[in-house]
Amino acid sequence: MIGIATTHHENVTVSMTATDSERVLGVREIDGEPFGDIMAALESLERSEPLLLLNSFEPESLYGVLEQRGFTYETTQTSERREIRIEHTDG
């Protein structure tokens, strides 16, 4: 099953796609800080459900917040973006 949720942030559309295995949140087009969108996506995750965050830069300040809130992450850089796979520590 695939579902798509769309929110608007400062005239930019942010889409989150849910598949059977993970949610995908693309924040590369946001003008400004995507922190609120990322936190909202994380709060809606099931314990065993990962989030794949698509970003244009290394979100170093996010990593400490993720660790404090009980998440692990793995970052992969492609030629077009950074892909950060985020999961609950005990997921």
Side-chain angles (χ1 to χ4, degrees):
M1 178 179 175
I2 297 177
I4 298 176
T6 303
T7 60
H8 299 282
H9 180 73
E10 296 184 22
N11 300 321
V12 176
T13 301
V14 178
S15 295
M16 184 165 63
T17 305
T19 67
D20 286 338
S21 60
E22 68 185 6
R23 292 189 193 191
V24 178
L25 177 61
V27 297
R28 294 178 295 161
E29 301 299 321
I30 290 180
D31 229 5
E33 187 62 48
F35 185 79
D37 295 295
I38 296 167
M39 290 297 107
L42 292 173
E43 289 173 11
S44 69
L45 288 179
E46 298 292 327
R47 299 294 295 175
S48 61
E49 185 180 27
L51 174 68
L52 181 62
L53 178 64
L54 307 178
N55 205 351
S56 58
F57 61 91
E58 183 87 28
E60 292 180 19
S61 60
L62 176 64
Y63 296 150
V65 174
L66 292 174
E67 291 171 358
Q68 290 174 350
R69 295 187 182 201
F71 291 95
T72 61
Y73 57 89
E74 181 180 342
T75 303
T76 304
Q77 183 173 345
T78 70
S79 61
E80 299 175 6
R81 63 185 179 213
R82 292 214 170 51
E83 299 178 354
I84 301 97
R85 190 172 202 286
I86 303 169
E87 298 181 86
H88 284 277
T89 301
D90 60 358

